[in-house]
Amino acid sequence: DIVMTQSPDSLAVSLGERATLNCKSSQSLLFSSNNKNYLAWYQQKPGQPPKVLISWASTRETGVPDRFSGSGSGTDFTLTISSLQAEDVAVYYCQQYFSTPYTFGQGTSLEIK
Amino acid sequence: QVQLQESGPGLVKPSQTLSLTCTVSGGTINSGTYYWTWIRQPAGKGLEWIGRLYTSGSTSYNPSLKSRVTISLDTSKNQFSLKLTSVTAADTAVYYCAREPLYCSGGSCSQGAFDFWGQGTMVTVSS
């Protein structure tokens, strides 16, 4: 199985400041035939299902604010929130869909400082 | 807008079988362009992929659960189901159904991220 490791486990950022969340996979998620990274980022708020924010490591889903951006390739990925808003308090998960069994990181809990 | 809704018993006794159904509305489950998936999340913990089903009937399961899991399709009701046998307290979790798109072009297909999720249903295993 591909192991996904997120850092940090928790993060406190001031409103309006940048938040940087990291995700590392135990093997490359880059598929050579289409040059795509099979990595997604999800946001989960209490009592709600996860919501996909970013797919293919850097493609923002429809309706997701542009303060959210994804970057990285291969085994190292980053989710950046450029200017933290109060509604961004949540747990964020990365997930690989390169190969089954699909696996998720343990999550990063983001809160307001 | 596609919606998914889980249903089933909230309490299951140890050693018995957990059975859940996911009803899909706003789209046909038989379109051939999606995998239909089950994911679970123990309270306060992370997400675990259980398995998925394609409309052809082909399935893929997490090896950690493979001997106990069956995912099946009922196209007449636009539903898919999860059965997990011989449950223990470790199977207590919120169970989600989700949709995984399949992108096909030029004769090859590629899976995508989970784009729609149900609200989840809590299942407790206890006597």
Side-chain angles (χ1 to χ4, degrees):
Chain A
D1 299 5
I2 298 175
V3 177
M4 306 298 292
T5 304
Q6 292 183 240
S7 63
D9 289 335
S10 62
L11 181 62
V13 174
S14 300
L15 289 172
E17 295 299 304
R18 178 185 298 264
T20 302
L21 290 68
N22 301 299
C23 175
K24 189 174 184 67
S25 59
S26 61
Q27 64 187 74
S28 178
L29 305 182
L30 179 63
F31 194 45
S32 55
S33 65
N34 60 10
N35 203 36
K36 286 180 177 284
N37 286 281
Y38 285 58
L39 186 283
W41 287 96
Y42 298 85
Q43 175 193 65
Q44 187 177 33
K45 297 181 179 180
Q48 296 184 19
K51 171 189 172 185
V52 63
L53 300 175
I54 303 283
S55 59
W56 310 115
S58 60
T59 301
R60 197 182 305 113
E61 295 291 309
T62 302
V64 173
D66 61 7
R67 64 180 180 274
F68 291 92
S69 63
S71 63
S73 184
T75 61
D76 292 279
F77 302 92
T78 299
L79 175 69
T80 301
I81 307 172
S82 60
S83 176
L84 190 71
Q85 304 299 303
E87 61 264 33
D88 300 335
V89 169
V91 178
Y92 292 82
Y93 294 95
C94 61
Q95 178 238 338
Q96 66 82 15
Y97 50 102
F98 184 88
S99 64
T100 60
Y102 296 153
T103 47
F104 295 83
Q106 80 278 17
T108 292
S109 180
L110 180 59
E111 60 184 45
I112 306 295
K113 185 187 292 185
Chain B
Q1 179 83 334
V2 169
Q3 291 186 319
L4 290 79
Q5 180 66 58
E6 306 88 350
S7 59
L11 181 64
V12 181
K13 289 182 167 50
S15 79
Q16 294 193 343
T17 296
L18 179 160
S19 295
L20 296 174
T21 296
C22 181
T23 301
V24 179
S25 57
T28 175
I29 203 170
N30 211 19
S31 70
T33 53
Y34 304 104
Y35 289 109
W36 302 97
T37 299
W38 288 96
I39 294 161
R40 69 181 183 179
Q41 184 174 36
K45 295 189 177 180
L47 297 152
E48 181 181 30
W49 180 81
I50 299 171
R52 71 182 185 191
L53 169 75
Y54 186 57
T55 49
S56 66
S58 69
T59 54
S60 177
Y61 299 132
N62 194 320
S64 67
L65 299 167
K66 186 174 183 178
S67 63
R68 299 194 291 131
V69 172
T70 303
I71 299 176
S72 59
L73 191 65
D74 187 338
T75 55
S76 66
K77 296 181 180 178
N78 226 37
Q79 296 175 336
F80 63 107
S81 298
L82 169 70
K83 289 191 187 302
L84 183 64
T85 62
S86 305
V87 297
T88 69
D91 296 309
T92 294
V94 175
Y95 284 76
Y96 295 102
C97 56
R99 189 182 83 169
E100 177 189 355
L102 192 60
Y103 303 106
C104 296
S105 175
S108 67
C109 295
S110 177
Q111 63 274 14
F114 303 119
D115 58 357
F116 285 95
W117 297 62
Q119 284 299 307
T121 187
M122 179 68 201
V123 179
T124 301
V125 178
S126 174
S127 55

